[in-house]
Amino acid sequence: MPTAPRKGRIMQIGTLSAKPGEKVFGFLETSRTMSQLPVHMPVNILCGREDGPTLLVLAAVHGAEIVGSLGIGKILREVDPNELKGTLILVPVANTAGFEFFRRTNAWDDHDQGMSGMIGGEAPNASPDGTPSQQLAWLYLNELLPQADAVIDIHSGRGTSYPFYTICTYDPDHEEVYQRSLELAKAFGLREIWRSTPWGPQKPGGFKDVCNRRGIPYILPEMGGGPNFLNQGHHLVDLCAQGIKNVMKKMGIMAGEICLDHDSVDLVDATHTMSTGIRAGFLELQFDRGEFVKKGEIYAKIYHPYTGELIDEIRAPGDGYVLNAGQVWPAVGQHVWLAALSDKIERVSLDD
Ligand SMILES: [Zn+2]
């Protein structure tokens, strides 16, 4: 005998509320800027007809990284809350001031870590009466995160960079939540999953760390980027929307089969990075993504932009496969991240 559907519940987030079957858009306000502009976070709530888990999807925490925002727009056009068992909370641009001014950080206070660096855990960075970034962090921790059973924090490159992988950091102190995060990362669908990042363990109090401590799975897809996006980037937007739907299916919020373009994922530990040094100029890469570079081999050459002379060689700091990350535009400044390497690739079948 079929079980009776569990009736949905009203989703209340700050001043916004959505009844079962409703799609609601509004702003959660925090502080005011010097010129008294409201600093707000745009939020969409898709409240399922039936009760179930809640997925929180954030994009553009780094304001210029908009591929996730495009993916969320597609979800908003395609998903009907009447067909959901559970709730979808979509924040298309978490850092509106960064977005407004085409920059990564929050223009209202320009904290160099951006908003994610301000999600300072319980203290001291997230604050109800701090800077705009600190107040946004407070809003995230106290209004959005308590509703979430899982978080997707979507980042991307811009016109000059192409990162294409999902970060799902291994943390021995939170093994169980890591395993649940890994299942969501596999469902999201990007082939490359980073178990560690070259910039070290997640900062205490960062997004991921707070989620771990609260037992909430968290994944951070990097959704590509690069020049010529309007001609060649559509598939990234489609993949992003498909990834969000796949995670909803995995969580039981949406019905249907998970759609994947491959039957395995590559688990990697991004152990080394390569960056330009003090000599900026025109970049020429010597290796493609996926190729193996030996320690000391030349990964990239830098040429003088006016004389054409070779002015620097960037050598691999260790052995490794070139990961799906880094610079894709030939004019590079000083200390620009060019690539990451992983000393091994563990290919895991998705058959189970
Ligand atoms: Zn980012």
Side-chain angles (χ1 to χ4, degrees), residues 226-238:
N228 210 13
F229 191 91
L230 288 177
N231 296 107
Q232 295 176 351
H234 298 293
H235 74 285
L236 296 171
V237 180
D238 293 345

Side-chain angles (χ1 to χ4, degrees), residues 62 65 104 155-156 222:
H62 292 143
E65 300 175 4
R104 191 171 187 268
H155 291 237
S156 68
E222 290 275 8

Side-chain angles (χ1 to χ4, degrees), residues 77-210:
R77 291 188 292 277
E78 292 180 354
V79 173
D80 178 355
N82 284 299
E83 292 167 4
L84 303 183
K85 288 184 184 174
T87 300
L88 192 54
I89 305 172
L90 302 171
V91 179
V93 176
N95 173 2
T96 51
F99 171 70
E100 183 81 26
F101 297 105
F102 301 93
R103 53 199 278 178
R104 191 171 187 268
T105 54
N106 185 342
W108 300 136
D109 49 34
D110 203 24
H111 187 275
D112 64 1
Q113 292 299 316
M115 202 180 93
S116 57
M118 284 300 201
I119 303 289
E122 275 53 75
N125 284 329
S127 163
D129 42 32
T131 66
S133 287
Q134 288 174 311
Q135 293 195 40
L136 282 168
W138 181 264
L139 182 75
Y140 169 79
L141 288 176
N142 293 284
E143 297 288 357
L144 292 168
L145 201 54
Q147 306 289 353
D149 295 299
V151 176
I152 310 177
D153 178 11
I154 307 174
H155 291 237
S156 68
R158 295 187 264 173
T160 56
S161 60
Y162 187 91
F164 192 54
Y165 49 83
T166 298
I167 298 175
C168 178
T169 322
Y170 177 69
D171 179 350
D173 294 335
H174 298 95
E175 176 78 38
E176 186 271 337
V177 82
Y178 165 75
Q179 291 300 341
R180 286 191 287 138
S181 300
L182 185 58
E183 290 309 306
L184 299 188
K186 288 177 184 171
F188 188 84
L190 303 190
R191 175 104 192 235
E192 196 170 286
I193 297 176
W194 289 22
R195 290 181 296 206
S196 64
T197 60
W199 42 93
Q202 201 77 20
K203 282 183 289 295
F207 269 30
K208 154 84 178 179
D209 182 58
V210 172

Side-chain angles (χ1 to χ4, degrees), residues 202-264:
Q202 201 77 20
K203 282 183 289 295
F207 269 30
K208 154 84 178 179
D209 182 58
V210 172
C211 288
N212 269 347
R213 282 192 272 125
R214 295 189 187 185
I216 301 168
Y218 168 96
I219 61 171
L220 191 157
E222 290 275 8
M223 283 310 305
N228 210 13
F229 191 91
L230 288 177
N231 296 107
Q232 295 176 351
H234 298 293
H235 74 285
L236 296 171
V237 180
D238 293 345
L239 268 180
C240 186
Q242 177 177 282
I244 295 168
K245 287 180 186 172
N246 280 347
V247 170
M248 290 166 71
K249 290 170 184 172
K250 186 79 187 171
M251 293 173 71
I253 299 172
M254 181 179 239
E257 291 281 303
I258 290 173
C259 306
L260 294 171
D261 300 336
H262 45 257
D263 54 15
S264 65

